[in-house]
Amino acid sequence: MKVLLLLFTTLLFGCNQQSARQRGTQLNSVPDPHTLTDPSAAVVRHLNLELAVDFATKELTGKASWVIENLSNSKEIVFDTKNLSIQKVTIGKEEHDVKFALDKQDSILGSALRVPVEATTTIINIYYNTQPNAGALQWLAPQQTAGKQHPFLLTQSQPILARSWIPCQDGPGIRFTYNATVRVPPALMAVMSAENKQQRSDSGIYYFKQTKAIPSYLLALAVGDLAFQPIDSRTGVYAEPVTLKKAAYEFADMGKMVTTAEKLYGPYRWGRYDVLVLPPSFPYGGMENPNLTFLTPTVIAGDRSLVSVVAHELAHSWSGNLVTNATWNDMWLNEGFTTYFERRIVEEVYGVEEAKMQEVLGRQSLSAELADKGASNKDTKLKGELAGRDPDAAIGDIAYEKGYAFIRTIEEAVGRNKLDTFLRQYFDKNAFQSQTTEQFLVSLKSELLDNSKTLADSIRINDWVYQPGIPNNAPAVGSNAFRKIDSLVFKFRDQPLTELRQNVTSTNEKLYLISRLPVDLIPQELIALDKAFAFTNSGNAEIQTAWYVVAIKHGYRAAYPAIEKFLTRVGRRKFLVPIYTELIKTAEGKTWAKEVYKRARPNYHPVAYNTIDALLR
Ligand code: BES
Ligand code: ZN
């Protein structure tokens, strides 16, 4: 029996010579406040998922078969669920029915699914279906897609929404491999955060395999009228057929980005790197789903000026997907490092000046957020304090830009070469594992700073990580192109806009200009600016958002039809929040915002409408 069991386990896990570390089975012992499970008792190792996608009922119906390991002879294994209907749970290949319990629902965390197990239990089969309002899922009508012919389904699992479409142990410190079989209507194609086939299947059945151990927040599925176009031998684009060409043009540098990233921080370990261009209601700019980054179509500006989002999501293949924040309190490890890595890729592929401009724009938005939150706000610490709160509510520039500025501070202190060597080792040593902030700081101090207290003090590690605000040893940022714009804006009222028009041509420059405009613009000036730069009808969503905020601030009515169109078409939260926030500052604006929102809301993902609901309440 023992031998059989061993053989069985070997078959399940593939090669038994792989170490626990390689399999990603080493657990981080730190408690995670956002999962109801206890992975140190009994933990998941592999998922066999079977799903049927029903657009008519907006339901996923499925069976999640989990291969588990009962680590401490536990009497039960716990899964996270949120708004799932559980039909039945069975044990083993033989599928013995078992009596499960579903705890009372917590409004943030959902409900724990408790399944009794024995020491030797290795397979748990959960039969379930999702609810139409599942937090991770967005069901789009044909009208909401680019092609307008077929419906579309997309998922967004980060940070704690995977549990709303798959019963799982939903913490970033818990990793597993997965296989999936997904049945979709025959005209549609399914893709996942795994190896993808690039082709439509006549049967409407798709098989997926993710052979690298990933955390649950990287589970992802999209279903729609999709086609694939390669960029080079290991990169490519999935998009609706009408978008495919434009997308392939925009992301032509993807292959180069991967090669560049590898030169910086070591081999890309996931096989292929593809991107999926989604309908505009996708709530984020990008999501680093393994093998297949999910992207908003708003990064397709036509001139490749917003492709740093791709560099960012690609960088997560190291900082995030390979070495993962142990809990959402450590999210700056994911996003801060990725922002740093992103700008290093941008610097290599597009030049130093481009990277510097993006750095300045990043620092600007960090300063704005600090001013808005107040520099003593505890939510401005790098290490998050999110227990009892929805980790989604805390997403902002702190993890990204304060995290970035911290790493830049370290870079200044030790030099780029030493930092790069350290990071390469760090990704290698911790591959397919998670890290807490504290674990990272131990490596930093011992491996990069050679335990030098003087160096650690000069960097002011503790202030950066555990204190609010931003320490005053943050490296200065600046760009020559932007300095030129400053000097021209200084003379803004003394001369026609011709010189400004000649010097402000790129997307970055336009964004910077908009951020530096006088605060007391008069109507004629807004009209003149719009005439010179055509901001209102720009096809660049970053420029549109920045300009619309200025337009609203100054009651520039000519922009309102375009703003309304934008708000009803685009569902990217990063754009919606500043526009609605500016609108609701006046009573009149708030009334209009609510009117527009009534029409726009059906087009938003739950991630976006939950935020805007709270804003407009
Ligand atoms: N992983 C994030 C998106 C995310 C973070 C989703 C936290 C849910 C919780 C992704 O990598 C990201 O940072 N996207 C950015 C783009 C990036 C260039 C700053 C976005 O969506 O705007
Ligand atoms: Zn990111």
Side-chain angles (χ1 to χ4, degrees):
M1 180 66 201
K2 272 240 177 77
V3 177
L4 260 180
L5 200 75
L6 189 72
L7 189 74
F8 188 51
T9 328
T10 309
L11 283 174
L12 283 173
F13 293 136
C15 173
N16 67 343
Q17 263 132 24
Q18 267 188 331
S19 67
R21 197 170 80 78
Q22 278 170 312
R23 289 204 313 263
T25 51
Q26 219 176 47
L27 275 173
N28 208 317
S29 54
V30 64
D32 175 350
H34 295 110
T35 175
L36 298 165
T37 71
D38 177 6
S40 69
V43 71
V44 297
R45 298 300 191 196
H46 177 81
L47 167 65
N48 284 305
L49 181 66
E50 288 170 31
L51 279 183
V53 179
D54 188 338
F55 281 93
T57 57
K58 298 188 176 170
E59 256 182 18
L60 301 177
T61 309
K63 173 186 177 187
S65 292
W66 284 102
V67 178
I68 67 153
E69 199 172 335
N70 191 344
L71 295 172
S72 59
N73 197 6
S74 176
K75 292 273 166 282
E76 65 171 14
I77 181 163
V78 183
F79 297 90
D80 292 299
T81 75
K82 192 167 185 185
N83 298 324
L84 293 181
S85 311
I86 310 291
Q87 272 91 46
K88 67 170 178 176
V89 179
T90 69
I91 302 276
K93 274 221 152 85
E94 316 75 22
E95 305 233 8
H96 298 301
D97 269 306
V98 71
K99 210 172 160 221
F100 63 89
L102 208 51
D103 285 3
K104 192 171 158 281
Q105 160 138 334
D106 176 278
S107 65
I108 296 167
L109 302 180
S111 29
L113 167 66
R114 298 175 187 279
V115 179
V117 292
E118 286 165 11
T120 53
T121 305
T122 53
I123 297 177
I124 310 280
N125 310 294
I126 305 166
Y127 292 80
Y128 72 101
N129 63 271
T130 61
Q131 304 286 326
N133 64 348
L137 304 181
Q138 187 172 22
W139 301 87
L140 296 170
Q143 204 44 41
Q144 295 167 288
T145 65
K148 318 248 180 258
Q149 301 297 315
H150 299 277
F152 204 104
L153 166 67
L154 63 93
T155 68
Q156 167 60 40
S157 296
Q158 192 186 11
I160 56 168
L161 296 170
R163 64 192 71 177
S164 77
W165 68 289
I166 301 174
C168 59
Q169 292 191 325
D170 201 6
I174 307 161
R175 306 180 92 91
F176 52 87
T177 51
Y178 78 83
N179 294 347
T181 305
V182 180
R183 182 191 298 270
V184 306
L188 304 183
M189 180 161 159
V191 289
M192 287 192 84
S193 52
E195 275 175 34
N196 285 286
K197 286 268 160 57
Q198 303 176 357
Q199 270 135 25
R200 223 165 268 213
S201 125
D202 291 334
S203 63
I205 300 177
Y206 292 82
Y207 303 96
F208 304 96
K209 219 157 94 180
Q210 179 51 266
T211 58
K212 307 282 191 277
I214 61 159
S216 55
Y217 79 91
L218 296 175
L219 287 164
L221 167 70
V223 180
D225 180 17
L226 293 173
F228 175 78
Q229 185 170 325
I231 300 283
D232 69 0
S233 61
R234 69 167 157 177
T235 65
V237 181
Y238 291 85
E240 290 185 59
V242 294
T243 313
L244 193 58
K245 257 215 166 98
K246 266 191 294 182
Y249 172 83
E250 203 77 13
F251 306 128
D253 293 328
M254 275 170 67
K256 209 164 150 193
M257 285 183 182
V258 181
T259 323
T260 304
E262 288 186 308
K263 274 198 204 118
L264 286 168
Y265 298 125
Y268 177 76
R269 305 194 192 214
W270 303 85
R272 292 193 57 84
Y273 180 72
D274 296 313
V275 301
L276 165 67
V277 179
L278 295 157
S281 60
F282 185 57
Y284 291 104
M287 178 63 213
E288 64 272 27
N289 297 316
N291 297 90
L292 186 64
T293 282
F294 281 27
L295 279 184
T296 168
T298 62
V299 298
I300 304 180
D303 58 4
R304 301 180 182 163
S305 64
L306 301 177
V307 296
S308 61
V309 176
V310 176
H312 178 98
E313 305 314 333
L314 167 66
H316 273 306
S317 307
W318 289 258
S319 43
N321 301 3
L322 194 59
V323 183
T324 308
N325 48 210
T327 76
W328 298 117
N329 288 331
D330 309 297
M331 193 171 91
W332 76 273
L333 290 177
N334 271 19
E335 297 301 345
F337 277 96
T338 296
T339 304
Y340 177 79
F341 196 166
E342 166 198 342
R343 294 199 179 128
R344 292 293 301 276
I345 297 171
V346 166
E347 180 181 320
E348 289 297 324
V349 180
Y350 301 102
V352 180
E353 182 59 24
E354 176 66 28
K356 282 195 165 169
M357 288 193 276
Q358 296 190 11
E359 182 182 48
V360 175
L361 294 170
R363 183 67 66 84
Q364 273 187 339
S365 66
L366 175 60
S367 302
E369 185 163 320
L370 285 171
D372 183 52
K373 287 203 155 97
S376 59
N377 186 323
K378 70 178 171 47
D379 285 341
T380 66
K381 300 176 185 181
L382 275 184
K383 167 94 184 192
E385 297 174 7
L386 300 173
R389 297 156 68 192
D390 187 342
D392 182 65
I395 298 167
D397 279 317
I398 300 303
Y400 293 79
E401 295 294 344
K402 186 180 173 184
Y404 169 79
F406 176 42
I407 297 158
R408 281 279 298 118
T409 308
I410 299 169
E411 180 185 341
E412 295 280 293
V414 302
R416 193 174 258 199
N417 285 342
K418 276 186 86 172
L419 175 63
D420 283 353
T421 307
F422 165 75
L423 285 178
R424 234 173 276 127
Q425 277 168 13
Y426 174 77
F427 291 133
D428 209 40
K429 199 176 77 181
N430 301 301
F432 300 107
Q433 294 177 80
S434 63
Q435 283 279 297
T436 63
T437 298
E438 290 65 33
Q439 288 164 336
F440 164 71
L441 292 182
V442 168
S443 308
L444 172 70
K445 288 175 190 166
S446 66
E447 288 155 37
L448 185 57
L449 307 182
D450 298 325
N451 294 313
S452 155
K453 191 169 175 316
T454 334
L455 212 45
D457 287 347
S458 79
I459 294 170
R460 296 173 57 185
I461 294 176
N462 284 322
D463 292 345
W464 274 102
V465 176
Y466 297 109
Q467 295 300 320
I470 176 164
N472 60 11
N473 64 338
V477 299
S479 127
N480 291 332
F482 287 180
R483 275 187 278 269
K484 172 86 193 183
I485 296 173
D486 277 327
S487 71
L488 293 173
V489 169
F490 190 70
K491 303 184 286 186
F492 183 72
R493 287 189 164 130
D494 306 335
Q495 57 181 67
L497 294 178
T498 355
E499 204 186 341
L500 203 56
R501 184 69 198 90
Q502 277 159 5
N503 281 279
V504 176
T505 54
S506 71
T507 295
N508 290 329
E509 289 164 342
K510 288 176 185 168
L511 290 172
Y512 188 71
L513 168 64
I514 294 170
S515 80
R516 306 295 286 176
L517 290 170
V519 291
D520 55 352
L521 286 174
I522 56 168
Q524 288 90 320
E525 290 170 329
L526 286 147
I527 293 168
L529 280 164
D530 215 3
K531 199 162 161 232
F533 292 97
F535 287 144
T536 297
N537 296 313
S538 159
N540 184 307
E542 292 281 352
I543 294 172
Q544 285 170 288
T545 301
W547 174 250
Y548 294 160
V549 169
V550 170
I552 295 162
K553 223 173 236 155
H554 297 93
Y556 177 55
R557 288 304 167 125
Y560 278 44
I563 297 175
E564 174 167 3
K565 203 170 139 213
F566 187 81
L567 289 175
T568 46
R569 190 178 68 83
V570 175
R572 183 172 171 189
R573 186 169 65 177
K574 178 187 147 190
F575 296 150
L576 302 181
V577 169
I579 295 174
Y580 281 110
T581 302
E582 198 55 49
L583 277 172
I584 63 176
K585 285 183 181 166
T586 66
E588 196 194 354
K590 189 163 184 171
T591 309
W592 190 69
K594 285 188 166 173
E595 232 169 77
V596 173
Y597 186 50
K598 240 185 257 155
R599 287 188 293 278
R601 192 179 184 278
N603 196 36
Y604 297 166
H605 186 283
V607 157
Y609 70 64
N610 285 328
T611 303
I612 308 299
D613 282 356
L615 198 65
L616 297 190
R617 190 163 293 143

